[in-house]
Amino acid sequence: LELSRPSKSHFLAAKSLYQISARNSQAFERLQSSCIGSDENPRGLSSLVSSLAWCVRSKDPPFPIGHSRIMLGTEVLKLLYLVASGGNVKIEGGSDKTGLTMTVLGQLLSEIFFLPHYTKAAYQFKLNAVNLLMHMPKSYSFYLAQNGVIEELIRIL
C-alpha cells in the first residue's frame, strides 16, 4: 500500500465486505477465519492492519485532508470491530505474527486518538477507533495510560 494509493475501489471493497459479513453468518465466519483462524499467518488481519496503517500514517496529504483515506480507514475499523466483537477472538497467546500485528494495531489506535478531528468524517473515524478499543486485550490499557491516550479519549468524548 505504501507504493500505491488505494482508490475508491478499495473503500467500496471494504464497505461491501463489512455489509455482507454483518448480514450473512457464512460471510462473517469466513472473514473471522481469515483474520483469527487457526492459520499461523492470518493474512486477513495483517491486510486490514496494513490498510489502516496507510490511512493513519500517510503524509500525502496530511490527515484529515485525505478524505478518501478517512473513508477507507473508517470501513477498516468497522471490519476490525466486527471481527473482534464476534466473541471468538483469542488474541493473546496466538502466533508471533498475530502478536506483532496486534501490537501494531494498538499503536495505530493510539495514533488515531492524537489525530485532528475538525471534520465530521475525521471525528467519526475516531469514534470507530473507540468502538474497536472496547474489544481489545486488557493489556492495551497499560500502553494507553503510559502514552497519554486516556486524556485524548476524554477530549474525543
Side-chain angles (χ1 to χ4, degrees):
L1 279 176
E2 292 195 26
L3 297 176
S4 66
R5 293 175 179 244
S7 64
K8 190 167 184 164
S9 62
H10 292 94
F11 160 73
L12 293 173
K15 185 174 184 81
S16 297
L17 182 59
Y18 172 77
Q19 289 179 346
I20 291 167
S21 297
R23 295 181 179 135
N24 182 294
S25 61
Q26 288 179 325
F28 171 74
E29 288 171 12
R30 290 190 71 168
L31 171 66
Q32 198 171 41
S33 176
S34 75
C35 290
I36 58 167
S38 60
D39 188 359
E40 284 295 312
N41 186 8
R43 285 169 269 164
L45 179 62
S46 191
S47 295
L48 290 173
V49 172
S50 294
S51 295
L52 184 61
W54 180 83
C55 294
V56 172
R57 294 177 174 163
S58 179
K59 301 295 184 207
D60 184 28
F63 192 92
I65 297 169
H67 186 69
S68 62
R69 282 196 347 254
I70 296 171
M71 291 171 47
L72 175 59
T74 297
E75 293 305 318
V76 169
L77 285 169
K78 288 165 58 176
L79 278 166
L80 289 167
Y81 174 82
L82 183 64
V83 169
S85 66
N88 295 325
V89 181
K90 292 189 173 100
I91 295 163
E92 295 171 309
S95 71
D96 290 343
K97 182 154 176 103
T98 300
L100 178 61
T101 301
M102 291 306 298
T103 298
V104 171
L105 178 57
Q107 293 166 345
L108 287 168
L109 287 174
S110 66
E111 289 174 35
I112 288 169
F113 299 128
F114 286 97
L115 293 172
H117 61 266
Y118 51 83
T119 67
K120 183 178 178 181
Y123 187 69
Q124 188 61 48
F125 179 67
K126 286 180 137 182
L127 290 179
N128 279 293
V130 171
N131 283 342
L132 178 58
L133 186 61
M134 291 189 289
H135 289 282
M136 292 295 99
K138 292 177 185 175
S139 58
Y140 276 30
S141 60
F142 179 75
Y143 179 82
L144 298 175
Q146 291 295 320
N147 290 286
V149 178
I150 304 299
E151 293 81 4
E152 290 303 311
L153 282 169
I154 293 168
R155 283 189 193 102
I156 293 168
L157 305 174

